[in-house]
Amino acid sequence: MRGLNRAARLAAQISLLLALMSTSVYMVTRVYLDDEERIYNEGNINEVATSGGPVTIGHVEWKLDSLQPYTRIVDKKGEEIGMGSTAGAVLMIAKLTATPRKGVYLKDGGFTCGADLWDDRGNVWQAGQNTSDWELPTNCYADDSDDDGKDEGFELDKPRQVAMIYVIPADAASHVVGVSMQDRNGFRRVLITP
């Protein structure tokens, strides 16, 4: 009897030890794997929207209409718009449709927006090329540059096209996979692919 009690006690202790070890491993990895803020701060993508979306980020619905390389762009008069590109670089232009939804802060018919361009080699470019001379606005602010002087700003629930322009190396153009939109408050970074 004594041997059976000792064996039963030893088996119970080993089972308890294994249960505690597996619980602690689960707790440590769960915190590490589910830490959305850490994943966001490391710059990782945590969602992918295929076929251009749409996806709603920060009360704005985004749809990627096209993502094309350009060697140059021209204004309405056919004159080249200088974008500060260098030899061996191309302009990658993402045409997006933005639809502000209830909850977005529209100041003077516009809001702050931006998208990063990603390629399959881990490179990321920020949109930083703005011009008021191209066919589409290159930011999300009201545009009063038209000849008629009419302010064509954003309105709630009304879609409007905007272009994000990136200067990238020419050899990277074939590796581009999409643009990412992010929401710092929700720790979301969504890659929108064409």
Side-chain angles (χ1 to χ4, degrees):
M1 277 292 196
R2 222 171 180 195
L4 289 176
N5 284 341
R6 183 179 274 181
R9 193 170 8 149
L10 183 61
Q13 288 173 341
I14 290 173
S15 321
L16 180 61
L17 181 62
L18 289 174
L20 288 173
M21 285 176 46
S22 61
T23 302
S24 64
V25 167
Y26 169 75
M27 296 299 284
V28 168
T29 57
R30 182 182 64 94
V31 169
Y32 181 76
L33 295 175
D34 289 346
D35 188 1
E36 293 172 349
E37 183 176 5
R38 180 190 54 78
I39 292 169
Y40 178 88
N41 289 337
E42 288 176 355
N44 296 322
I45 297 289
N46 51 6
E47 293 178 44
V48 176
T50 58
S51 302
V55 64
T56 301
I57 300 287
H59 305 292
V60 178
E61 181 180 284
W62 293 97
K63 179 153 180 35
L64 179 62
D65 300 321
S66 69
L67 185 59
Q68 296 291 322
Y70 289 76
T71 54
R72 66 187 192 102
I73 56 176
V74 295
D75 63 13
K76 295 173 186 169
K77 297 175 185 175
E79 297 175 8
E80 185 173 350
I81 301 171
M83 298 302 292
S85 59
T86 59
V90 295
L91 299 173
M92 184 63 72
I93 299 181
K95 293 181 182 177
L96 299 136
T97 299
T99 308
R101 299 294 186 199
K102 184 178 178 181
V104 72
Y105 178 64
L106 287 176
K107 181 178 180 184
D108 299 326
F111 58 95
T112 303
C113 69
D116 294 337
L117 181 72
W118 290 67
D119 75 3
D120 60 7
R121 299 182 290 186
N123 297 312
V124 180
W125 295 272
Q126 294 180 343
Q129 303 296 324
N130 290 319
T131 180
S132 59
D133 297 328
W134 202 50
E135 62 189 59
L136 291 175
T138 56
N139 58 47
C140 297
Y141 298 110
D143 180 20
D144 57 1
S145 64
D146 287 346
D147 295 334
D148 60 7
K150 183 180 176 186
D151 188 330
E152 297 180 8
F154 282 90
E155 296 179 35
L156 286 181
D157 298 323
K158 292 194 177 177
R160 182 174 180 210
Q161 264 197 321
V162 64
M164 302 287 172
I165 302 176
Y166 311 86
V167 178
I168 65 170
D171 67 335
S174 62
H175 294 277
V176 168
V177 294
V179 295
S180 71
M181 309 301 284
Q182 55 192 15
D183 178 13
R184 176 73 176 127
N185 296 328
F187 301 119
R188 291 178 64 207
R189 186 173 287 113
V190 181
L191 179 68
I192 307 172
T193 62

